[in-house]
Amino acid sequence: MSSTALALVLVSVCMHAGWNVLGKRNAPSLGTFVLAYGAGGAVLIPLLWLGPSLSALSPAFWGWLALSGLCQMLYMGGLAWAYARGEVSVLYPIARALPVVLVPLVSIALLGNRMLNRWDGIGMVLVVVGALCLPLSHPEARRLSTYLTPAMGFALLAAVGTVGYSLIDKQALGLMQGVGHSSLTAGAVFMVLQALMTLTWAIPLLALLPAERRRLPALRQRGVTMLIVTGLMMTCTYGLVLMAMALTEEVSYIVALRQLSIPVGVLMGVLWLKEPASRAKAVGTVVMLAGLVLVAL
């Protein structure tokens, strides 16, 4: 991984943890996340004129974009519905850690990638073990039922969505570079298209879900400015990751390094949202950091 790609991911890490905690603080819902994401994409529409014309992109690219938007919607819905039912300092790390194992497994099974070594595997296992320690804040929590909750299920949905868009976006970026885009213009243009596609997928679902429809008036009361600020954080966060993906051969490394947002998110949840601190959270965070170091080396 190049130093440029590494720097892009690290900046993204801080922004990602920030918008997740902000979303938890402001009554999380699918509508909150996708409307903010769409608003951020709408503000950044001028970026679509960077690089070659959109008409140069192949039908295959637009197919990948549609699938990516669907996965992003599932990811945001999973996060929102998980946060509405539990602590961000527990659920955010779990949703972020599981893709570290799932992405390389799917990548190897479907794409034939074989670039991961033994230390990568050990590091990824440590990341997941650390995440699973987070809910164990007291002895009574040390049971299977701790993980068999709706909140955990939605966190898993968010993880599956992450796996989907991580693998799909790498393919889409490759097609963009094939028609003349640089890594920077490909990432900038794709992040806008993805935000708009995610909103397109989400609008029918928002109309169909009564609970989501009831929350929409509250979004208007919080104002357009907060929606746009949150949306810009969301779009720019992933835009930086997309640029890093375009500069990196193995997408699993990008997904793993993004997990540095885990300790940042835990600290924000405890210090800003006043969620309970525990030894299990501290141990779990340290174990995940050890795993991240192994993956990054």
Side-chain angles (χ1 to χ4, degrees):
M1 180 182 293
S2 69
S3 58
T4 301
L6 178 61
L8 290 172
V9 175
L10 292 179
V11 173
S12 170
V13 157
C14 296
M15 294 178 66
H16 193 279
W19 75 253
N20 273 265
V21 174
L22 189 62
K24 165 68 175 178
R25 187 169 178 244
N26 295 326
S29 68
L30 175 63
T32 299
F33 285 159
V34 297
L35 291 177
Y37 193 38
V43 170
L44 297 174
I45 278 179
L47 294 179
L48 295 180
W49 278 266
L50 294 174
S53 169
L54 295 180
S55 62
L57 297 170
S58 66
F61 166 81
W62 297 104
W64 287 122
L65 176 65
L67 289 174
S68 176
L70 176 60
C71 290
Q72 275 282 3
M73 184 193 70
L74 294 175
Y75 162 69
M76 292 184 181
L79 278 184
W81 299 326
Y83 291 165
R85 294 163 173 82
E87 299 175 11
V88 69
S89 57
V90 171
L91 297 167
Y92 176 72
I94 290 175
R96 300 292 286 164
L98 290 180
V100 174
V101 168
L102 297 177
V103 165
L105 292 179
V106 175
S107 181
I108 290 171
L110 298 183
L111 305 178
N113 292 340
R114 301 286 178 177
M115 298 180 66
L116 301 178
N117 58 38
R118 180 189 304 175
W119 294 110
D120 294 326
I122 293 173
M124 292 172 183
V125 170
L126 287 176
V127 170
V128 174
V129 170
L132 294 177
C133 290
L134 294 172
L136 307 179
S137 56
H138 51 82
E140 292 77 13
R142 297 169 187 172
R143 60 186 67 177
L144 183 61
S145 59
T146 298
Y147 302 98
L148 301 180
T149 64
M152 291 293 181
F154 286 125
L156 178 59
L157 176 62
V160 171
T162 301
V163 173
Y165 72 68
S166 297
L167 294 173
I168 289 167
D169 294 354
K170 180 65 176 178
Q171 306 304 311
L173 288 170
L175 292 175
M176 295 182 76
Q177 290 178 295
V179 299
H181 274 283
S182 68
S183 60
L184 295 178
T185 61
V189 171
F190 191 79
M191 75 176 181
V192 176
L193 292 175
Q194 187 188 59
L196 299 177
M197 181 61 71
T198 302
L199 181 62
T200 300
W201 278 108
I203 287 174
L205 188 59
L206 293 176
L208 290 172
L209 296 176
E212 291 293 335
R213 291 201 305 271
R214 289 194 295 270
R215 292 187 175 96
L216 292 178
L219 293 180
R220 290 195 293 268
Q221 293 175 3
R222 284 198 290 270
V224 176
T225 301
M226 178 58 70
L227 205 66
I228 292 176
V229 169
T230 303
L232 287 174
M233 290 177 66
M234 296 169 75
T235 50
C236 292
T237 293
Y238 193 54
L240 296 175
V241 172
L242 291 171
M243 295 175 195
M245 282 183 179
L247 295 169
T248 306
E249 290 295 325
E250 177 53 60
V251 67
S252 299
Y253 291 137
I254 296 291
V255 175
L257 284 174
R258 290 184 71 197
Q259 312 318 308
L260 286 171
S261 61
I262 288 173
V264 177
V266 172
L267 286 174
M268 285 185 176
V270 171
L271 299 177
W272 188 10
L273 302 180
K274 307 302 181 184
E275 294 178 348
S278 68
R279 181 177 299 177
K281 287 182 181 179
V283 170
T285 301
V286 170
V287 171
M288 282 187 284
L289 284 175
L292 288 166
V293 170
L294 289 178
V295 172
L297 292 177

